[in-house]
Amino acid sequence: MRWRFHTDLTPDDITPREVFVNRRRFIAAGGALLTFAGMPRKPFAASRSDVLKDTPTRYEDATSYTNFIEFGNGKSVASRRAGALTIKPWHVRIDGLVDNPGEFSLAELVREMPQEERLYRFRCVEGWAMVVPWRGFMLADLLKKAGVKPEAKYAAFETLLRPSEMPGQKSPLYKWPYREGLRLDEAMHPLTLMATGMYGRPLPKQNGAPIRLVVPWKYGFKSIKSVVRITLTDKQPPTTWNMLAPDEYGFYANVNPHVDHPRWSQATERLLGSGLFAGNTPTRMFNGYEKEVARLYEGMDLRKYF
Ligand SMILES: Nc1nc2c(c(=O)[nH]1)N[C@H]1C(S)=C(S)[C@@H](COP(=O)(O)O)O[C@H]1N2
Ligand SMILES: [Mo]
């Protein structure tokens, strides 16, 4: 199957870091109406929060308020503890139903895969959201290089297992390593990124250095950090949050304002760092990527496959 790449991102969105920095200053000065070059200007009536949804979150916020249970629970834990993680050397193993299984060094991946900058909205299942300029490559390109066999139907991902440097991995609550999975068409979708950087810099350790998955239309827990293994399989793989609480966290985990979490509403979200004025803003179907991904789920009951 071939996907036409149609998205609201244009090459103009590939914005150098100096521009983010300037934009941040501009916003701090109250100039929140600034939008990306090449993007349609928001109608005058757009609320401040709508505008912020397309403005990069402050680097300081995106790197200090994180979820990374390998380092413990609590949003600031990883930014304090992740410095201890050894990320050189780093290899990603690709195995299972592929023609060319093997290990790729991070350096090889960065050198050989076409790197791009992508500005994506990011929505955690807990209700907070941010906007991040990632750098990375399409997972599809890596999978094509590995040669996906026709029997493969899913891609499974694993995070590094290293309890000596990741103290959260001593917790018996979870089955380590952290695992995630995508259906093959989701994995091959051009929006699905393997990120190696953000804000024009290498990925900070607390955000999943040196390489993580980013699937912008799904809840953040699908975007597995510090990936060491990708396995192509013919069966839906077990995934960390789904194994822990299957009634609360589905395998698909598509952002959906109409399907609430059993313990809270998903109708609205709160932008990181947007402060009191932005308040809660409406959640968008597929996190605003409906045009790009809705066809993947045609005919599926999204309440059942949440
Ligand atoms: N290995 C691993 N990956 C993970 C997590 C985690 O705890 N461990 N947390 C997930 C959750 S719940 C979210 S919201 C995002 C957070 O990414 P960020 O900290 O870069 O914002 O990472 C996801 N990937
Ligand atoms: Mo999350």
Side-chain angles (χ1 to χ4, degrees), residues 125 219 221 241-242 244-251 253 259-264 266 306:
V125 72
Y219 290 122
F221 65 85
W241 289 100
N242 182 251
L244 189 75
D247 300 340
E248 302 192 17
Y249 308 104
F251 174 81
V259 177
D260 287 337
H261 186 278
R263 292 184 281 125
W264 59 84
Q266 294 291 23
F306 63 96

Side-chain angles (χ1 to χ4, degrees), residues 4-5 7 40 52 76 96 105 125 140 151 157 163 178 194 209 214 228 242 244 260-261 266 284:
R4 218 160 58 91
F5 189 90
T7 170
L52 286 173
S76 63
S105 75
V125 72
E151 315 90 87
F157 304 82
Y178 191 105
M194 294 306 295
V214 179
V228 293
N242 182 251
L244 189 75
D260 287 337
H261 186 278
Q266 294 291 23
R284 298 182 198 170

Side-chain angles (χ1 to χ4, degrees), residues 66-70 124 130 159 178 207 212 220-221 223 225:
T66 66
N67 274 331
F68 203 163
I69 54 173
E70 282 83 345
C124 172
M130 58 182 179
T159 294
Y178 191 105
N207 295 92
R212 73 176 297 175
F221 65 85
S223 292
K225 294 176 168 180

Side-chain angles (χ1 to χ4, degrees), residues 211-273:
I211 184 166
R212 73 176 297 175
L213 181 68
V214 179
V215 194
W217 70 94
K218 292 178 178 284
Y219 290 122
F221 65 85
K222 299 294 290 181
S223 292
I224 181 172
K225 294 176 168 180
S226 305
V227 171
V228 293
R229 185 176 178 194
I230 303 173
T231 307
L232 280 292
T233 71
D234 57 359
K235 290 188 189 63
Q236 185 177 304
T239 58
T240 290
W241 289 100
N242 182 251
M243 281 189 280
L244 189 75
D247 300 340
E248 302 192 17
Y249 308 104
F251 174 81
Y252 285 91
N254 292 315
V255 175
N256 188 336
H258 312 298
V259 177
D260 287 337
H261 186 278
R263 292 184 281 125
W264 59 84
S265 165
Q266 294 291 23
T268 63
E269 63 196 36
R270 177 177 46 84
L271 274 160
L272 271 198

